[in-house]
Amino acid sequence: MKRQLHLAALACAALAIETTLAAELTADDDDYQSRIHQAKLDLWLRGEFAYDYASEADASTIAANLEMQVATASFRHGPIREVRQRLYGSSCRGESCLEDLLGIRGGGGGVEYVTRLEEQLADLGTKFGQPFMDAIEKNKAEHAADCERSCELFYCAKDDGNNSDEWESRTTSFQSYSFGAVPPEDFSGEFQFPLDLIKVTQGDPLFSAEESAQVIKQAESEGVDKNEYKSGKYKLGGDWLVNLPETREWFNRALEHNLFPILHHLFPEIIRSTSVLRAHSVSLLKYNSTHPRTDIHIDNGILAMTLAMSPQSDYVGGGTFY
């Protein structure tokens, strides 16, 4: 049996999803069916399970439609994504247009990044008009509301220069793994090759077995193991920390003294201070042989962190793949 704590943090780093543009419609029907199959697989791998096309359409139209969805799969959810998809599907086509639409990137950090972002927004607003800018403003408002709500529930460092941003451990280190050949959508200019953005602890764990066991005991006293947590087609035990106030107190201390400083340490390219970080969605999950995994998904934060709360001697298997 294994328990894991999942954190999605609003900061500003990234998803990287390959985009492919629809090919010329020159293949025969078998080729169309092959393209349809491949596009559905590509969408499934990206967490898109609802295929949007008219079932009565011919194979060439369905193939082109699905491939367009693959091409725009990395567009962020919400109003910006809706405007991007509408513009891509109507008034613009081709690689250069797609690059323009992907040019809008999220986050906030140093003055240079913010200035560059505002310049890009102004250029895109001129090119794509008021609906695009309205979507941007709506996105900004939603983001600000999310950040304000986060600070009501989770620890937020003040931007006053008095935070303990530095993290140092003589017994815990991090092994880096490649993110692949495609830069993340956010901060592609900040992150350079090799894209070693996946970090795994080595040496001593961040929390002792005794501390982790106490956290689990506290969460179980709040009913975490009695709740059913749904992840796509899978169900497992667990709950959001917003529903576990006592456990959340421990987590907030961990954010202040360990987790936020660690993220600041690992991603200096984008995190100028722990004050820019917000805990967005945090859950404590319980796995067993009948509830072995979460479904393939895309976290709704920018940085994602998974903490194993059970010692490895208590279970077999486990892991994360991208």
Side-chain angles (χ1 to χ4, degrees):
M1 195 174 296
K2 181 172 88 169
R3 296 172 178 84
Q4 286 184 326
L5 189 64
H6 296 262
L7 161 67
L10 289 175
C12 304
L15 300 183
I17 303 178
E18 177 185 344
T19 60
T20 29
L21 296 172
E24 293 295 327
L25 301 179
T26 57
D28 58 23
D29 191 62
D30 287 343
D31 288 334
Y32 289 136
Q33 294 302 325
S34 176
R35 285 169 54 193
I36 290 171
H37 175 80
Q38 184 60 50
K40 286 184 175 181
L41 179 60
D42 288 341
L43 289 168
W44 180 80
L45 289 173
R46 290 159 172 79
E48 301 276 348
F49 305 108
Y51 308 122
D52 182 19
Y53 64 90
S55 57
E56 68 274 8
D58 60 77
S60 64
T61 301
I62 292 174
N65 184 292
L66 290 175
E67 286 169 338
M68 188 273 284
Q69 291 179 55
V70 173
T72 60
S74 60
F75 291 178
R76 290 188 173 281
H77 293 279
I80 290 178
R81 176 175 182 170
E82 293 167 7
V83 171
R84 282 173 162 177
Q85 286 182 324
R86 186 166 65 251
L87 290 169
Y88 183 75
S90 59
S91 60
C92 78
R93 285 282 182 175
E95 268 187 66
S96 60
C97 177
L98 186 60
E99 289 173 358
D100 285 338
L101 295 178
L102 289 171
I104 171 66
R105 304 187 182 281
V111 174
E112 180 182 348
Y113 176 85
V114 173
T115 300
R116 190 170 69 248
L117 177 62
E118 291 301 325
E119 290 174 350
Q120 291 174 341
L121 286 175
D123 291 342
L124 289 168
T126 300
K127 186 170 184 177
F128 298 119
Q130 192 59 43
F132 187 88
M133 296 309 297
D134 290 344
I136 295 296
E137 292 305 314
K138 183 177 180 182
N139 179 266
K140 288 180 178 179
E142 290 175 350
H143 179 77
D146 279 346
C147 289
E148 183 177 354
R149 173 63 173 164
S150 173
C151 291
E152 294 173 359
L153 297 167
F154 297 103
Y155 167 76
C156 287
K158 295 181 180 179
D159 191 11
D160 57 7
N162 296 320
N163 303 315
S164 56
D165 286 348
E166 299 306 317
W167 179 84
E168 182 179 354
S169 173
R170 297 180 180 178
T171 57
T172 303
S173 60
F174 291 86
Q175 175 69 43
S176 298
Y177 294 89
S178 174
F179 197 74
V182 181
E185 180 181 350
D186 292 297
F187 294 101
S188 63
E190 279 68 25
F191 289 120
Q192 303 295 320
F193 288 96
L195 297 171
D196 53 348
L197 304 181
I198 300 171
K199 313 291 184 179
V200 180
T201 56
Q202 291 183 318
D204 289 344
L206 298 178
F207 306 104
S208 68
E210 294 75 17
E211 182 177 6
S212 297
Q214 183 58 41
V215 172
I216 292 171
K217 183 178 179 180
Q218 177 63 64
E220 288 179 340
S221 72
E222 295 185 276
V224 68
D225 54 333
K226 304 297 191 297
N227 188 65
E228 183 177 81
Y229 178 97
K230 295 182 180 180
S231 176
K233 56 181 175 289
Y234 295 99
K235 298 178 181 179
L236 51 155
D239 206 347
W240 300 103
L241 256 63
V242 296
N243 301 321
L244 308 172
E246 299 298 324
T247 307
R248 195 169 71 246
E249 286 187 13
W250 167 83
F251 182 72
N252 280 330
R253 293 192 296 272
L255 285 178
E256 180 177 5
H257 299 292
N258 280 301
L259 302 184
F260 278 179
I262 285 173
L263 292 175
H264 176 260
H265 168 74
L266 293 175
F267 301 102
E269 302 93 336
I270 63 167
I271 302 176
R272 60 176 174 81
S273 164
T274 56
S275 64
V276 304
L277 292 168
R278 300 290 182 269
H280 185 259
S281 50
V282 190
S283 58
L284 181 62
L285 305 181
K286 181 178 180 180
Y287 303 83
N288 58 33
S289 58
T290 59
H291 302 76
R293 57 171 291 183
T294 58
D295 209 343
I296 294 175
H297 63 279
I298 297 173
D299 287 327
N300 57 2
I302 300 298
L303 296 173
M305 178 181 286
T306 299
L307 306 172
M309 301 300 290
S310 299
Q312 285 187 311
S313 58
D314 283 5
Y315 60 91
V316 176
T320 304
F321 72 93
Y322 298 87

